[in-house]
Amino acid sequence: MRSSLSVYLKGFLMGAADTVPGVSGGTIALITGIYERLIEAITSVSPADARLLLALHTTEGRDDLRDLFARADGLFLMVLGFGIASAVLTLSRVLEHTLEQFPAFTAAFFFGLIAASAIVLYSEVDVGTPQRLAVALVGIALAAGVSSLPESAIGSSYPVVFVAGSIAVCAMILPGVSGSFLLYVLNQYEYMVTNLTTFVDGVIGLADGGDLASLGESFTVVATFCTGALLGLLTMARVVKWAFQEYRAGTLTFLVSLMVGGLVKPVRTITTEAQFGVTADLAGVAVFALVGGGLVLAVDFFTDEIDY
């Protein structure tokens, strides 16, 4: 019980980190000492293992599934996942409110998180070679270009949500890169937070005697995102892990450069929503940006001896 509670709390911290753009759940996994165990558990499962579900009606099939559960450290993943989900569901409601009521201040907070994360991670790479400089420029240009697009340009269709889920989940295995940041750049962050909150409200409504209609479209959106995330975890995550291991400097340079280019997104929101003639708005933007940056620097302080 004590071990499971510890894993749950670590999962909750990972979920809290991944809910806001900037700090990575992978970094929290490193801090709490479960990173290697998590990677081993995730990579021990492949999409081909899904065929075991087709043989559940047989004794041999159930035995194979139990073996897979043990090999994949299933109890650990279940408890950790529950902790992550608890944090995401709890904080998403808060974020929905702040995004709606205080868009400029929330964007300033995100700016601080992302900017400080980029500064910290750039200290881990060397962009002195022409190749890495080119990679950095491509990353910055790509993220800035996507962040500059109007939200209607990409939209939030089911295929977009599916792909966004598969991309964002890859951040789980990369210390320093936030899945929420990737959603933020892809203009899916606020959309997913809103739908997740609506979905949770619908589930609560069912418990109070409501009907399935209360879930509405939010269920389909959340299910599509989770399906993409699961597929990404079993496939794309392996590719990202390989790239990070074989081409560490170039991959990290590209990912960090995405963060720099992604700063266009919060800056656009701040300049659109904040009234810069109002002293309170100016002070608020500055304070929230400093708070966000300070949180990242605090995390970096505790991970100073950890090799990314």
Side-chain angles (χ1 to χ4, degrees):
M1 180 64 71
R2 179 178 297 179
S3 175
S4 294
L5 179 60
S6 174
V7 172
Y8 170 82
L9 292 175
K10 291 173 181 180
F12 191 92
L13 291 175
M14 286 180 63
D18 266 329
T19 304
V20 293
V23 184
S24 167
T27 298
I28 302 301
L30 271 175
I31 297 172
T32 56
I34 61 172
Y35 182 73
E36 290 186 8
R37 184 179 180 183
L38 175 62
I39 297 304
E40 287 300 320
I42 291 173
T43 55
S44 67
V45 183
S46 70
D49 290 323
R51 61 182 171 77
L52 297 179
L53 296 175
L54 301 176
L56 273 178
H57 62 286
T58 67
T59 302
E60 183 181 358
R62 289 190 291 272
D63 289 341
D64 289 342
L65 196 61
R66 277 193 292 268
D67 291 342
L68 174 63
F69 187 82
R71 184 176 77 244
D73 207 352
L75 182 60
F76 165 75
L77 287 179
M78 285 178 60
V79 175
L80 187 73
F82 185 58
I84 293 172
S86 298
V88 172
L89 293 176
T90 301
L91 295 179
S92 61
R93 188 172 299 278
V94 176
L95 287 167
E96 182 188 32
H97 176 74
T98 59
L99 285 166
E100 181 179 347
Q101 299 298 323
F102 311 103
F105 295 162
T106 304
F109 179 67
F110 290 169
F111 178 90
L113 289 171
I114 297 168
S117 295
I119 292 171
V120 167
L121 290 175
Y122 258 130
S123 67
E124 300 289 331
V125 299
D126 177 15
V127 293
T129 66
Q131 293 87 347
R132 291 181 193 161
L133 180 59
V135 168
L137 292 175
V138 169
I140 292 172
L142 178 62
V146 174
S147 299
S148 300
L149 294 173
E151 294 187 10
S152 58
I154 297 178
S156 296
S157 62
Y158 294 136
V160 170
V161 170
F162 180 89
V163 172
S166 64
I167 291 175
V169 78
C170 292
M172 182 181 293
I173 66 167
L174 293 175
V177 183
S178 167
S180 290
F181 162 74
L182 298 176
L183 290 179
Y184 193 56
V185 170
L186 292 171
N187 288 321
Q188 304 304 310
Y189 182 76
E190 186 171 354
Y191 178 76
M192 288 309 306
V193 167
T194 300
N195 274 281
L196 182 58
T197 303
T198 303
F199 172 71
V200 172
D201 288 342
V203 172
I204 294 174
L206 286 177
D208 290 336
D211 54 31
L212 290 175
S214 61
L215 295 178
E217 183 184 1
S218 61
F219 169 77
T220 308
V221 172
V222 172
T224 300
F225 181 86
C226 291
T227 303
L230 179 60
L231 184 61
L233 196 61
L234 297 178
T235 56
M236 292 179 65
R238 294 172 179 269
V239 176
V240 174
K241 180 186 177 184
W242 171 82
F244 198 78
Q245 290 178 337
E246 298 297 324
Y247 305 99
R248 176 187 176 279
T251 302
L252 188 56
T253 298
F254 177 74
L255 293 171
V256 179
S257 298
L258 288 178
M259 302 182 79
V260 175
L263 288 171
V264 170
K265 175 72 174 178
V267 168
R268 286 182 62 198
T269 303
I270 293 170
T271 55
T272 301
E273 300 291 343
Q275 300 180 35
F276 288 101
V278 180
T279 303
D281 274 17
L282 286 171
V285 166
V287 167
F288 278 95
L290 289 173
V291 169
L295 286 175
V296 172
L297 295 178
V299 171
D300 180 62
F301 175 80
F302 289 106
T303 58
D304 187 51
E305 301 300 322
I306 295 176
D307 182 14
Y308 286 95

